[in-house]
Amino acid sequence: MKIQNTLLMLPFALIFACTDTDASSNTDLELKGKLRNAHGENIYLEQLSPEAVKPIDTAQISESGEFTMTAPITETGFYRLKISDKNFATLILDAGQHVTISGDAQDLGNTYKVEGSPDSELFWELNKRSADNFRQRDSLQKVFQAFMNTAKMDSARVDSMSKALEKPYTKLINEHNKYLQTFIESHSSSFASLAAIQQLPAEDYLETYIKLDEGLYKKYPTSGYIKSFHESVSSQKKLAIGTPAPEITMKTTDDKTLSLSSLKGKVVLVDFWASWCGPCRAENPNVVKAYNKYKSKGFDIFSVSLDKDKDKWIAAIAKDIYVEKILRKNLRKY
């Protein structure tokens, strides 16, 4: 598994950064390289921006494997140094840095080492640790898949093997999550931690998200990307466990207005569904069953449809035989 590709497939928050490419002698980045197994290839430096991948500089690698680039940049961002679209290394670069990179020109992403860029060095460390952990998980998955191919649909044997592998697999996940948490909290103002945070589920590590947000926003208050991350974390904080639910006010089937806050004091299931959502429709009988079983104990349902067609919405409710009380709280987002 190539971790360079795994990390770059994560949400755009991982790799996108807003940078200003106005030239300035004080902001020129100097990037020098010494690559083995090079044969005069061209090498490219690209900025990974929200709008597009933007070319920054190009150089030819000499027969001795050396190259030099000079690029005018003004703030921290994610960049890609590539020989081809499948052979690249991701770097975190800043204005005025003097960076050196080494590695194998035939496998840059898995062999490169970098000096002169603290964030790039941290990113390299993160990549290596993540790759090792993912490789171990992948090995367990392959063991299970190989067993599945020989188990001949023996459910008892499959369940037994699944339980046997679940513990070491879960242990690997927990160990890596702990490493990521420590990495982020130790480098809470580093762009490298943006790559790490993408691997942690926000619902389980919200405090870590908040610490990173505070560290980055303090150091990069004008960065477009950091502002975006800050807004995302702010939204997540509003939905954290234990915080009041955000207000929802919509129209019922008879065009009356109903707010979620009107059910305050009850145990409420907020159910999002749509007439075109097969799994949602299949679950509706269970929703009704739960309502009928617990309504006397203060349980209620606030059901929100994502339908845009009112007729289809009403028809779906009727077909799924919703009880009248649920019907009155069935809302439509249109």
Side-chain angles (χ1 to χ4, degrees):
M1 180 182 295
K2 292 188 177 182
I3 195 62
Q4 59 164 344
N5 293 334
T6 301
L7 287 179
L8 285 171
M9 288 175 64
L10 294 171
F12 77 90
L14 170 62
I15 60 173
F16 289 162
C18 298
T19 59
D20 185 345
T21 55
D22 290 341
S24 169
S25 59
N26 295 324
T27 62
D28 282 358
L29 164 79
E30 184 182 72
L31 178 61
K32 292 184 176 182
K34 175 71 173 180
L35 305 178
R36 58 187 181 274
N37 294 324
H39 305 289
E41 300 95 331
N42 285 334
I43 190 165
Y44 309 89
L45 182 65
E46 300 173 330
Q47 176 191 352
L48 302 173
S49 73
E51 297 80 20
V53 176
K54 300 178 181 179
I56 300 298
D57 200 4
T58 305
Q60 185 175 25
I61 306 173
S62 69
E63 288 300 324
S64 62
E66 297 179 319
F67 69 90
T68 299
M69 291 181 172
T70 301
I73 63 175
T74 60
E75 62 175 331
T76 307
F78 285 84
Y79 293 80
R80 181 166 63 191
L81 183 68
K82 77 173 189 179
I83 295 175
S84 71
D85 288 340
K86 294 183 178 180
N87 186 14
F88 62 86
T90 302
L91 306 173
I92 303 172
L93 303 174
D94 202 356
Q97 290 181 332
H98 299 276
V99 182
T100 59
I101 188 167
S102 61
D104 189 332
Q106 304 306 309
D107 188 17
L108 188 59
N110 290 310
T111 63
Y112 83 95
K113 290 189 178 181
V114 61
E115 296 179 357
S117 169
D119 276 357
S120 290
E121 292 174 33
L122 286 173
F123 187 72
W124 179 90
E125 174 192 322
L126 172 68
N127 268 359
K128 185 176 185 303
R129 186 65 173 264
S130 297
D132 290 343
N133 188 273
F134 292 162
R135 195 175 297 112
Q136 292 178 69
R137 283 190 244 172
D138 187 55
S139 295
L140 289 176
Q141 289 177 326
K142 288 179 178 177
V143 168
F144 183 70
Q145 187 60 52
F147 179 81
M148 286 283 289
N149 293 337
T150 61
K152 297 181 180 179
M153 304 303 290
D154 186 333
S155 60
R157 292 177 63 202
V158 170
D159 288 344
S160 177
M161 177 59 78
S162 177
K163 290 177 181 178
L165 295 178
E166 182 179 3
K167 186 175 181 179
Y169 191 86
T170 301
K171 182 180 179 182
L172 285 171
I173 292 176
N174 291 338
E175 286 177 349
H176 192 55
N177 285 350
K178 182 62 179 177
Y179 162 77
L180 293 170
Q181 183 181 30
T182 301
F183 180 96
I184 292 164
E185 294 181 358
S186 298
H187 308 288
S188 60
S189 62
S190 170
F191 263 64
S193 290
L194 293 175
I197 202 72
Q198 302 301 318
Q199 301 179 54
L200 286 178
E203 61 271 19
D204 296 328
Y205 292 91
L206 183 58
E207 289 302 317
T208 304
Y209 272 75
I210 292 172
K211 288 181 180 179
L212 179 59
D213 174 48
E214 292 173 347
L216 288 172
Y217 198 69
K218 181 178 180 180
K219 185 174 182 179
Y220 303 102
T222 61
S223 166
Y225 175 72
I226 301 306
K227 288 181 180 179
S228 178
F229 181 69
H230 176 71
E231 291 172 2
S232 175
V233 173
S234 297
S235 296
Q236 290 168 352
K237 287 163 66 175
K238 294 178 181 178
L239 298 175
I241 295 174
T243 58
E247 181 66 291
I248 303 175
T249 301
M250 304 182 78
K251 295 289 186 179
T252 64
T253 54
D254 53 5
D255 287 325
K256 294 181 180 179
T257 299
L258 185 69
S259 297
L260 177 60
S261 58
S262 68
L263 301 179
K264 186 175 182 180
K266 294 185 176 184
V267 176
V268 181
L269 168 65
V270 181
D271 179 33
F272 295 90
W273 72 290
S275 65
W276 41 260
C277 175
C280 305
R281 297 285 297 279
E283 188 64 21
N284 279 343
N286 294 324
V287 174
V288 175
K289 185 177 180 180
Y291 173 77
N292 287 329
K293 184 175 181 178
Y294 297 109
K295 62 182 179 180
S296 62
K297 297 181 179 181
F299 175 67
D300 218 327
I301 296 171
F302 193 88
S303 185
V304 180
S305 171
L306 304 181
D307 282 286
K308 294 182 178 180
D309 188 318
K310 183 176 181 179
D311 291 338
K312 291 181 179 179
W313 170 52
I314 297 296
I317 294 171
K319 187 173 182 179
D320 292 346
I321 319 176
Y322 260 46
V323 294
E324 177 63 22
K325 192 166 185 179
I326 296 178
L327 183 78
R328 289 193 294 106
K329 295 181 181 63
N330 216 298
L331 312 177
R332 183 164 65 99
K333 186 177 182 181
Y334 71 99

